[in-house]
Amino acid sequence: MEEGYLFLGSRLGNSLLLKYTEKAETEDAVKKERKEGEPPTKKVRGEDASDWIASDVNLLEDPDELEVYGKQAQKTGTQVKSYTFEVSDSLLNIGPCGSMVMGEPAFLSEEFQNNPDPDIELVICSGYGKNGALSVLRRTIRPQVVTTFELPGCLDMWTVIGQKEAIKETEGVEGETKTNTSTEISHSFLILSRLDSTMILQTGQEITELDQSGFSTQGPTVYAGNLGNNKYILQVSQMGVRLLEGANQLQHIPLDIGSPIMLCSVADPFVVIMSESGHIVLLSLKEDSHGTGHRLSILKPEISQTSKILALSAYVNEGGMFTTKCKVAKTPVKKDRKKSESISVSETRNVDDEDELLYGDSEPTMFKPTTEETSTTESSKPEEVKEEVINLSYWCAVCRENGLLEIYSLPSFQCVFVVRNFPMAGKVLVDSPLAITRYALPKTYTL
């Protein structure tokens, strides 16, 4: 768990994930926040010098005492730590369960009434005391259907993000209306793949079919998604790839790799494509050399084809868990604080003979701050907030017909991890370096 968070697990109520922040307050400020009607507590006399020495030197009238203690006021307020808590997340708890009743739902949409499998709900008395409640358990998430319409022959569908022009009308001087146009990023297109064609629907206040656009509609679509932080749209068909910005086509790459494309996986800015014969093509989004935008470049890795590739998946690692290097953090050597304090005290403690006769060898705690006070003052200093740099790494997992699971690093396509008998679903995945064959260096083609 990250620093600054606290998890509270409850047996009778919901478990909470709390985010706490520390703030320092002086003891005098805490006393002011107390209620006026609160009875004063009995003060126990301690051995501290502040109990028998005046806290404010302005109250001293004797000139001899002023000469001894000086005119500078001493700070007696100590810092008290306080915390503020904020609920970041919660886990629903339905236990302990008292009683349970099973029955049919009261309100059910017409789309779910003809389901041959009956829809049953469980109503239970859960919780205890003030955390008690009635909980309704369902088998699946049941949406509230607004409208339905049939799509005959539809095989798959995707929603992609594009730029929309939002028109806002504002009233100006003397009743004149002014129109302001601004671009907003939202889900703009709904792509429906059919057996022999593709339908492009544009979303807005109404869903309308888009007749003229840069999308490919003459054949089925294998994959559609976004690239470049949702700035561009990628459409993969059986024989090529299209890069679009909104409805405008920027680049069209026909791919002839021996068989039609059947699978695509995206880890922005990399696109991994697989054909029916098991050949792999890697596309990467790069800046154009002319500075006009971004373009796709092709990389055809020459990996072993001794066993056919059945499935693949691209993955982007943001947490640093996937790595081929072992990083050992060096622990800083902590110096002994007590020894350093004793040395500094022995060097600065040069007292005259007359002061030793008057006050003795021991010094009052009023004139020397304790280690606790110094630690609280050091901790109350604002810490510098350092921005964490997240190093992204890209990987591609490939599963073969002979049961091998191979993990490649992108974009070099170097095999770094091999698991044998992956379909056997072992509890632990162990690297098998003997199964790694020598691969040729990938060839790069830029269009």
Side-chain angles (χ1 to χ4, degrees):
M1 187 181 297
E2 297 182 1
E3 186 177 357
Y5 288 90
L6 177 66
F7 180 77
L8 297 180
S10 176
R11 183 172 59 90
L12 303 177
N14 297 340
S15 300
L16 301 177
L17 178 63
L18 301 178
K19 181 180 180 181
Y20 65 89
T21 54
E22 179 184 345
K23 60 179 182 179
E25 294 182 357
T26 60
E27 188 177 357
D28 297 336
V30 175
K31 290 181 180 179
K32 290 180 180 180
E33 293 178 357
R34 293 179 179 176
K35 297 180 180 180
E36 296 179 358
E38 184 179 357
T41 57
K42 187 176 180 180
K43 186 177 181 182
V44 181
R45 183 172 181 179
E47 297 180 356
D48 195 358
S50 61
D51 294 336
W52 50 273
I53 295 178
S55 60
D56 192 358
V57 295
N58 295 326
L59 301 177
L60 299 177
E61 299 179 355
D62 192 355
D64 296 333
E65 293 181 354
L66 288 173
E67 184 179 358
V68 173
Y69 300 111
K71 297 182 179 181
Q72 185 178 3
Q74 301 292 333
K75 297 181 180 179
T76 59
T78 58
Q79 291 185 348
V80 180
K81 293 182 180 179
S82 62
Y83 297 89
T84 57
F85 296 92
E86 180 184 356
V87 179
S88 298
D89 199 357
S90 61
L91 295 178
L92 183 64
N93 182 23
I94 61 173
C97 300
S99 59
M100 179 177 61
V101 177
M102 181 175 60
E104 296 182 356
F107 302 99
L108 191 63
S109 300
E110 296 179 358
E111 287 75 11
F112 301 100
Q113 291 180 359
N114 298 326
N115 191 1
D117 191 8
D119 199 343
I120 302 299
E121 291 182 346
L122 296 179
V123 181
I124 60 175
C125 296
S126 62
Y128 178 79
K130 65 178 182 179
N131 296 321
L134 287 176
S135 301
V136 180
L137 304 182
R138 298 172 179 172
R139 182 179 299 176
T140 57
I141 297 176
R142 188 184 306 129
Q144 186 65 32
V145 180
V146 179
T147 181
T148 59
F149 54 91
E150 295 183 0
L151 294 173
C154 181
L155 301 178
D156 207 343
M157 64 176 59
W158 300 268
T159 57
V160 291
I161 297 175
Q163 294 183 354
K164 287 184 179 180
E165 290 187 357
I167 301 175
K168 296 181 180 180
E169 295 183 356
T170 57
E171 294 184 358
V173 184
E174 297 179 357
E176 296 179 356
T177 58
K178 296 181 179 179
T179 58
N180 298 326
T181 59
S182 61
T183 58
E184 58 179 4
I185 298 176
S186 61
H187 289 88
S188 303
F189 301 100
L190 177 63
I191 302 175
L192 306 177
S193 178
R194 296 177 177 178
L195 187 62
D196 54 354
S197 63
T198 298
M199 179 185 295
I200 310 298
L201 301 179
Q202 189 172 11
T203 61
Q205 295 181 354
E206 296 180 356
I207 298 178
T208 57
E209 184 176 358
L210 196 63
D211 296 330
Q212 296 180 356
S213 64
F215 291 93
S216 174
T217 59
Q218 302 300 323
T221 298
V222 178
Y223 175 84
N226 289 98
L227 282 177
N229 295 327
N230 299 328
K231 184 178 180 181
Y232 302 102
I233 299 175
L234 175 73
Q235 184 188 16
V236 180
S237 58
Q238 291 183 347
M239 301 305 295
V241 177
R242 293 173 185 263
L243 182 67
L244 303 96
E245 186 174 6
N248 302 321
Q249 177 181 319
L250 300 179
Q251 188 180 10
H252 176 222
I253 304 176
L255 294 176
D256 186 9
I257 49 180
S259 58
I261 299 171
M262 63 169 296
L263 185 61
C264 176
S265 182
V266 175
D268 195 9
F270 297 105
V271 180
V272 185
I273 295 174
M274 187 185 74
S275 64
E276 291 182 356
S277 59
H279 292 82
I280 294 179
V281 176
L282 177 65
L283 304 176
S284 61
L285 186 67
K286 297 181 179 180
E287 292 186 1
D288 191 4
S289 58
H290 302 287
T292 56
H294 292 76
R295 293 294 183 269
L296 291 172
S297 62
I298 303 177
L299 180 87
K300 293 183 179 180
E302 296 182 0
I303 62 177
S304 175
Q305 295 292 338
T306 55
S307 179
K308 184 180 178 181
I309 298 176
L310 301 180
L312 59 84
S313 178
Y315 173 71
V316 52
N317 178 35
E318 298 180 357
M321 295 295 293
F322 274 42
T323 180
T324 57
K325 298 179 181 179
C326 181
K327 298 180 180 180
V328 180
K330 297 181 179 180
T331 56
V333 180
K334 296 183 179 180
K335 297 181 180 180
D336 194 352
R337 186 175 181 179
K338 294 183 179 179
K339 291 183 180 180
S340 61
E341 288 182 355
S342 61
I343 294 173
S344 61
V345 169
S346 60
E347 291 178 356
T348 57
R349 190 178 175 184
N350 297 322
V351 187
D352 297 334
D353 296 337
E354 296 180 357
D355 294 338
E356 289 184 359
L357 294 175
L358 287 174
Y359 306 110
D361 295 336
S362 61
E363 297 181 356
T365 57
M366 178 179 176
F367 299 100
K368 179 178 175 298
T370 60
T371 57
E372 295 180 357
E373 292 178 356
T374 55
S375 62
T376 54
T377 53
E378 290 177 359
S379 62
S380 62
K381 293 180 180 179
E383 298 180 356
E384 296 181 357
V385 179
K386 297 182 179 180
E387 296 182 358
E388 296 183 359
V389 179
I390 301 176
N391 296 324
L392 302 179
S393 58
Y394 301 90
W395 311 87
C396 180
V398 173
C399 189
R400 294 182 179 270
E401 193 175 13
N402 59 0
L404 287 181
L405 172 68
E406 301 172 350
I407 299 178
Y408 296 86
S409 62
L410 297 180
S412 61
F413 244 96
Q414 180 183 0
C415 188
V416 296
F417 199 87
V418 178
V419 179
R420 290 184 177 181
N421 301 323
F422 178 70
M424 301 300 292
K427 294 183 179 180
V428 180
L429 300 181
V430 182
D431 187 17
S432 302
L434 297 179
I436 301 177
T437 58
R438 295 182 179 180
Y439 301 103
L441 294 176
K443 298 181 180 179
T444 305
Y445 304 90
T446 305
L447 297 182

